[in-house]
PDB file of all heavy atoms in Angstrom:
ATOM      1  N   GLN A 159     104.874 144.399 109.781  1.00 52.00           N
ATOM      2  CA  GLN A 159     103.580 144.952 109.388  1.00 52.00           C
ATOM      3  C   GLN A 159     103.240 146.199 110.201  1.00 52.00           C
ATOM      4  O   GLN A 159     102.672 147.172 109.694  1.00 52.00           O
ATOM      5  CB  GLN A 159     102.482 143.882 109.574  1.00 52.00           C
ATOM      6  CG  GLN A 159     102.576 142.741 108.564  1.00 52.00           C
ATOM      7  CD  GLN A 159     101.557 141.661 108.852  1.00 52.00           C
ATOM      8  OE1 GLN A 159     100.868 141.738 109.860  1.00 52.00           O
ATOM      9  NE2 GLN A 159     101.489 140.693 107.962  1.00 52.00           N
ATOM     10  N   LEU A 183      75.621 114.275 123.156  1.00 66.00           N
ATOM     11  CA  LEU A 183      75.242 114.121 124.554  1.00 66.00           C
ATOM     12  C   LEU A 183      73.919 113.363 124.693  1.00 66.00           C
ATOM     13  O   LEU A 183      73.774 112.490 125.555  1.00 66.00           O
ATOM     14  CB  LEU A 183      75.133 115.497 125.215  1.00 66.00           C
ATOM     15  CG  LEU A 183      76.439 116.284 125.374  1.00 66.00           C
ATOM     16  CD1 LEU A 183      76.160 117.679 125.917  1.00 66.00           C
ATOM     17  CD2 LEU A 183      77.405 115.540 126.290  1.00 66.00           C
ATOM     18  N   MET A 200      66.047  92.785 132.699  1.00 86.00           N
ATOM     19  CA  MET A 200      66.695  91.475 132.549  1.00 86.00           C
ATOM     20  C   MET A 200      66.876  90.789 133.892  1.00 86.00           C
ATOM     21  O   MET A 200      66.741  89.565 134.005  1.00 86.00           O
ATOM     22  CB  MET A 200      68.050  91.638 131.855  1.00 86.00           C
ATOM     23  CG  MET A 200      67.967  91.880 130.373  1.00 86.00           C
ATOM     24  SD  MET A 200      69.600  92.032 129.606  1.00 86.00           S
ATOM     25  CE  MET A 200      69.143  92.273 127.897  1.00 86.00           C
ATOM     26  N   GLY A 216      62.632  75.478 120.643  1.00 64.00           N
ATOM     27  CA  GLY A 216      61.798  74.291 120.457  1.00 64.00           C
ATOM     28  C   GLY A 216      62.147  73.190 121.434  1.00 64.00           C
ATOM     29  O   GLY A 216      63.220  73.166 122.044  1.00 64.00           O
ATOM     30  N   ARG A 233      79.905  79.913 133.207  1.00 72.00           N
ATOM     31  CA  ARG A 233      81.249  80.366 132.832  1.00 72.00           C
ATOM     32  C   ARG A 233      81.365  81.886 132.860  1.00 72.00           C
ATOM     33  O   ARG A 233      82.326  82.448 133.395  1.00 72.00           O
ATOM     34  CB  ARG A 233      81.595  79.857 131.427  1.00 72.00           C
ATOM     35  CG  ARG A 233      82.012  78.404 131.370  1.00 72.00           C
ATOM     36  CD  ARG A 233      82.648  78.106 130.029  1.00 72.00           C
ATOM     37  NE  ARG A 233      82.986  76.711 129.883  1.00 72.00           N
ATOM     38  CZ  ARG A 233      83.672  76.230 128.846  1.00 72.00           C
ATOM     39  NH1 ARG A 233      84.062  77.045 127.891  1.00 72.00           N
ATOM     40  NH2 ARG A 233      83.955  74.954 128.767  1.00 72.00           N
ATOM     41  N   SER A 367      78.920  77.159 120.124  1.00 78.00           N
ATOM     42  CA  SER A 367      79.469  76.302 119.078  1.00 78.00           C
ATOM     43  C   SER A 367      79.777  74.901 119.591  1.00 78.00           C
ATOM     44  O   SER A 367      79.755  73.937 118.823  1.00 78.00           O
ATOM     45  CB  SER A 367      80.751  76.936 118.514  1.00 78.00           C
ATOM     46  OG  SER A 367      81.739  77.064 119.522  1.00 78.00           O
ATOM     47  N   ALA A 404     107.614  64.202 119.044  1.00 91.00           N
ATOM     48  CA  ALA A 404     106.949  62.911 119.189  1.00 91.00           C
ATOM     49  C   ALA A 404     107.149  62.357 120.598  1.00 91.00           C
ATOM     50  O   ALA A 404     106.218  61.836 121.222  1.00 91.00           O
ATOM     51  CB  ALA A 404     107.483  61.931 118.145  1.00 91.00           C
ATOM     52  N   CYS A 418      97.942  54.538 131.412  1.00 81.00           N
ATOM     53  CA  CYS A 418      97.882  54.335 129.961  1.00 81.00           C
ATOM     54  C   CYS A 418      98.941  53.329 129.521  1.00 81.00           C
ATOM     55  O   CYS A 418      99.947  53.101 130.188  1.00 81.00           O
ATOM     56  CB  CYS A 418      98.078  55.658 129.232  1.00 81.00           C
ATOM     57  SG  CYS A 418      99.788  56.241 129.190  1.00 81.00           S
ATOM     58  N   VAL A 466     115.749  47.554 132.456  1.00 46.00           N
ATOM     59  CA  VAL A 466     115.874  47.196 133.870  1.00 46.00           C
ATOM     60  C   VAL A 466     117.093  46.300 134.013  1.00 46.00           C
ATOM     61  O   VAL A 466     117.287  45.367 133.227  1.00 46.00           O
ATOM     62  CB  VAL A 466     114.616  46.454 134.374  1.00 46.00           C
ATOM     63  CG1 VAL A 466     114.758  46.067 135.835  1.00 46.00           C
ATOM     64  CG2 VAL A 466     113.388  47.316 134.167  1.00 46.00           C
ATOM     65  N   ALA A 572      90.919  48.557 112.737  1.00 77.00           N
ATOM     66  CA  ALA A 572      90.851  49.985 112.467  1.00 77.00           C
ATOM     67  C   ALA A 572      89.779  50.611 113.340  1.00 77.00           C
ATOM     68  O   ALA A 572      88.828  49.958 113.775  1.00 77.00           O
ATOM     69  CB  ALA A 572      90.553  50.244 110.990  1.00 77.00           C
TER      70      ALA A 572
END
Side-chain angles (χ1 to χ4, degrees):
Q159 290 175 355
L183 293 174
M200 284 181 179
R233 282 194 184 187
S367 61
C418 76
V466 179

